[in-house]
């Protein structure tokens, strides 16, 4: 019987070194894969901004409300040709984590969000952070207005959606179209909720948000829409017998601080130039009068769709309005806004207060950019709230309204982005996930 010979195998030093090298390579590869996975789970960085606190002299009992307003740039509206410098920042895999991280970073009590789609992604993020939400969209639109509020601070009492296309602005006409007084069907809405404080149902706040029609040349239509919004906010508050509750009205208004609608909102008289802008925009669009001869192949009303050339100057598919169309005159518009409401702007007052206190620092205002007189309301709004390769302007605001029982003061606000931070054009990875800048202000209610 043959006996097997046993040998003790001893690898050479070279073989040991090679095995150790391979082991270290496998370990390094594993660590790299783990780091990649961990990094993918982290939200991409966005550019944080300093908080600006204002001196508060209020000694009476008070509460604070921290409010955010932000147009998120709906994914369904993105066209790469409109954002040629944004590249990967237009993809949901990059944008959404940035947007979600920035939203939560504010730790706001109330959020007013516009152009909100993909609710299946946003809602769980808000719920996990302790927010309840209400959502509404215009007829047939894939994106809408969203109001979120902290569950441990507020309970929702009621809500209301306002379809601007259906709202009447006059009674003295037998024509339904003339009673509505609209220049164009837009499918835009206003949305509001009544929020009672937890543990104190007799105290609360009315919160409204909106996204007005986007086309720059439709000045009259935006003035009509925002006048209706304020009217309906007051009616909503009165119908619920909540006249003592303050109102917050925030959103993307799609008009600048020197626009007629802004002046009408805050109670400034219309200038001659503003009246001329209103006059030039009193037209009747083909969506109101189908007999209007079309001038373009397509007339879409979605935000920034690029279907109309030179939108600052051109109104296509329209005719001049006549008296029988029922569009409101300047005096009638003023009357629509003069309903006991006096809106104030958190950013206009906050930045004005810093300048008056002699601490302007890094203050960049709309008035400086367009030479709007500093005494004019709106002059101290942010220099920019929307900044893309093609489109740069101020469109977003946080307004509020006092009541006979409560006064409101601005306790602080989030500094707007500087133009140098956005000069490549939003959205931009590492800067901001939307083409609009988020606004955040803290209001002191006493």
């Amino acid at each position: 019987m043959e006996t097997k010979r046993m040998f003790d195998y001893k690898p050479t030093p070279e073989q040991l070194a090679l095995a150790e090298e391979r082991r270290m390579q496998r370990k390094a590869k594993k660590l790299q894969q783990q780091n990649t996975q961990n990094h993918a789970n982290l939200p991409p960085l966005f550019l944080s901004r300093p908080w600006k606190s204002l001196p508060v002299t209020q000694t009476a009992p008070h509460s604070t409300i921290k409010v955010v307003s932000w147009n998120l740039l709906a994914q369904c509206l993105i066209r790469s040709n409109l954002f040629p410098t944004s590249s990967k920042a237009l993809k949901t895999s990059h944008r959404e984590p940035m947007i979600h991280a920035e939203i939560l970073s504010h730790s706001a009590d109330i959020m007013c969000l516009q152009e909100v789609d993909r609710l299946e992604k946003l809602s769980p993020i808000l719920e996990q952070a302790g927010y309840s939400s209400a959502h509404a969209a215009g007829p047939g639109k894939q994106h809408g207005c969203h109001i979120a509020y902290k569950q441990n601070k507020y309970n929702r009492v009621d809500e209301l959606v306002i379809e601007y296309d259906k709202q009447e602005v006059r009674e003295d006409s037998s024509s339904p179209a003339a009673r509505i007084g609209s220049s164009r069907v837009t499918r835009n809405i206003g949305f509001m909720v009544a929020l009672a404080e937890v543990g104190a149902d007799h105290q609360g706040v009315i919160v409204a948000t909106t996204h007005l029609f986007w086309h720059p040349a439709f000045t009259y239509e935006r003035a009509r829409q925002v006048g209706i919004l304020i009217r309906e906010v007051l009616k909503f508050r009165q119908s619920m017998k909540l006249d003592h509750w303050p109102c917050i009205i925030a959103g993307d208004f799609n008009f600048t601080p020197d626009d007629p609608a802004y002046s009408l909102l805050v109670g400034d008289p219309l200038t001659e130039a503003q009246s001329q802008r209103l006059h030039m925009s009193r037209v009747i669009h083909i969506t109101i009068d189908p007999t209007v001869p079309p001038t373009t192949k397509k007339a879409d009303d979605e935000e920034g769709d690029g279907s109309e050339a030179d939108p600052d100057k051109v109104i296509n598919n329209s005719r001049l309005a006549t008296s029988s169309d029922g569009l409101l005159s300047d005096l009638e518009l003023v009357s629509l806004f003069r309903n006991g409401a006096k809106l104030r702007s958190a950013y206009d007052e906050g930045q004005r207060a810093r300048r008056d206190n002699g601490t302007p620092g890094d203050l960049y205002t709309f008035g400086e950019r367009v030479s709007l007189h500093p005494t004019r309301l709106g002059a101290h709004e942010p220099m920019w709230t929307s900044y893309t390769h093609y489109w740069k302007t101020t469109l977003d605001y946080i307004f509020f309204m006092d009541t006979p029982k409560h006064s409101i003061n601005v306790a602080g606000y989030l500094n707007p982005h500087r133009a140098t931070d956005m000069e490549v054009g939003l959205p931009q990875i590492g800067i901001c996930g939307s083409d609009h800048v988020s606004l955040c202000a803290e209001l002191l209610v006493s």
Side-chain angles (χ1 to χ4, degrees):
M1 182 175 180
E2 185 178 352
T3 304
K4 292 184 178 178
R5 299 177 64 184
M6 305 296 293
F7 294 94
D8 292 332
Y9 173 73
K10 292 183 179 180
T12 65
E14 291 79 7
Q15 290 173 321
L16 288 172
L18 181 60
E20 178 65 13
E21 181 181 355
R22 288 173 177 171
R23 187 184 71 82
M24 293 301 295
Q25 287 176 347
R26 289 194 299 269
K27 183 177 179 180
K29 186 176 181 180
K30 185 176 180 180
L31 286 173
Q32 185 180 17
Q33 290 173 341
Q34 290 175 344
N35 290 336
T36 300
Q37 291 172 354
N38 292 337
H39 181 72
N41 293 329
L42 292 174
L45 292 177
F46 61 91
L47 185 62
S48 61
R49 293 169 278 156
W51 181 263
K52 300 299 181 181
S53 296
L54 299 173
V56 176
T57 59
Q58 184 61 254
T59 58
H62 62 267
S63 61
T64 59
I65 306 175
K66 195 174 187 182
V67 185
V68 160
S69 184
W70 197 12
N71 179 321
L72 302 188
L73 177 57
Q75 193 68 28
C76 65
L77 298 182
I78 288 180
R79 307 290 183 269
S80 58
N81 62 306
L82 299 178
F83 306 97
T85 61
S86 294
S87 188
K88 292 182 179 179
L90 298 179
K91 296 182 178 297
T92 55
S93 57
H94 290 284
R95 283 202 331 117
E96 283 185 335
M98 291 175 63
I99 287 173
H100 297 165
E102 183 165 350
I103 284 176
L104 297 182
S105 73
H106 298 312
S107 191
D109 300 309
I110 295 169
M111 302 179 191
C112 294
L113 309 175
Q114 308 84 44
E115 280 195 31
V116 177
D117 61 356
R118 294 174 61 83
L119 280 173
E120 72 280 4
K121 299 295 184 181
L122 177 63
S123 294
I125 298 295
L126 294 177
E127 290 172 7
Q128 291 170 15
Y131 290 91
S132 292
S133 299
H135 184 86
K141 291 203 173 187
Q142 301 177 53
H143 60 92
C145 295
H146 201 82
I147 297 176
Y149 50 93
K150 283 188 174 177
Q151 297 172 355
N152 63 357
K153 187 166 183 176
Y154 296 107
N155 291 317
R156 184 172 20 156
V157 178
D158 204 355
E159 64 183 58
L160 179 68
V161 179
I162 306 162
E163 293 186 34
Y164 296 127
D165 294 338
K166 298 179 180 179
Q167 291 289 320
E168 295 185 356
V169 293
R170 60 169 73 250
E171 299 177 354
D172 56 345
S173 176
S174 59
S175 166
R179 288 198 298 272
I180 292 174
S182 174
S183 62
R184 174 172 181 158
V185 173
T186 70
R187 299 185 294 151
N188 289 82
I189 64 166
F191 181 46
M192 67 188 78
V193 298
L195 300 177
E197 293 184 12
V198 171
D201 291 346
H202 63 288
Q203 297 178 8
V205 60
I206 306 294
V207 181
T209 190
T210 192
H211 186 196
L212 301 184
F213 184 53
W214 73 272
H215 195 300
F218 277 80
T219 303
Y220 165 83
E221 188 56 38
R222 273 186 299 277
R224 171 188 167 275
Q225 289 180 356
V226 77
I228 289 171
L229 175 65
I230 303 308
R231 182 190 71 186
E232 296 304 306
V233 166
L234 292 175
K235 287 171 60 177
F236 181 67
R237 187 171 69 171
Q238 291 166 0
S239 68
M240 300 184 65
K241 296 181 171 52
L242 300 174
D243 291 344
H244 59 291
W245 284 16
C247 296
I248 296 170
I249 303 164
D252 177 359
F253 293 80
N254 268 319
F255 55 66
T256 55
D258 57 354
D259 187 89
Y262 188 100
S263 294
L264 289 166
L265 265 182
V266 299
D268 264 356
L270 293 173
T271 65
E272 185 177 344
Q274 288 175 332
S275 291
Q276 182 63 18
R277 288 176 66 180
L278 285 168
H279 173 71
M280 295 296 293
S281 65
R282 284 190 177 93
V283 299
I284 299 298
H285 191 260
I286 194 171
T287 52
I288 299 291
D289 179 2
T291 68
V292 172
T295 54
T296 63
K297 294 181 180 179
K298 177 182 176 183
D300 198 337
D301 67 349
E302 286 289 24
E303 180 81 13
D305 66 349
S307 64
E308 302 196 44
D310 199 4
D312 287 314
K313 300 178 181 179
V314 176
I315 299 180
N316 290 317
N317 303 315
S318 302
R319 62 168 172 80
L320 293 176
T322 65
S323 58
S324 62
D325 293 312
L327 302 196
L328 298 174
S329 66
D330 284 7
L331 288 177
E332 288 173 318
L333 277 173
V334 170
S335 178
L336 179 63
F337 283 83
R338 296 297 175 266
N339 45 25
K342 179 175 173 53
L343 265 62
R344 298 159 57 195
S345 166
Y347 270 80
D348 191 46
E349 291 198 6
Q351 298 209 116
R352 187 183 301 272
R354 281 187 60 215
R355 173 154 286 163
D356 291 346
N357 290 336
T359 56
D362 52 351
L363 202 64
Y364 304 99
T365 66
F366 176 83
E368 293 172 321
R369 177 164 67 84
V370 301
S371 299
L372 187 64
H373 197 278
T375 60
R376 188 84 178 176
L377 293 177
H380 288 80
E381 294 287 358
M383 184 174 285
W384 315 100
T385 69
S386 179
Y387 202 101
T388 74
H389 179 73
Y390 292 118
W391 181 255
K392 304 170 181 64
T393 191
T394 301
L395 304 172
D396 308 83
Y397 310 96
I398 297 175
F399 293 111
F400 57 91
M401 193 188 310
D402 287 330
T403 75
K405 292 187 177 181
H406 296 284
S407 63
I408 303 178
N409 292 292
V410 182
Y413 63 91
L414 188 67
N415 216 42
H417 279 301
R418 299 174 300 173
T420 52
D421 295 327
M422 305 180 291
E423 59 186 356
V424 179
L426 301 180
Q428 202 66 227
I429 293 175
I431 304 294
C432 180
S434 173
D435 59 337
H436 286 248
V437 175
S438 64
L439 303 181
C440 183
E442 188 171 59
L443 305 178
L444 189 70
V445 183
S446 58

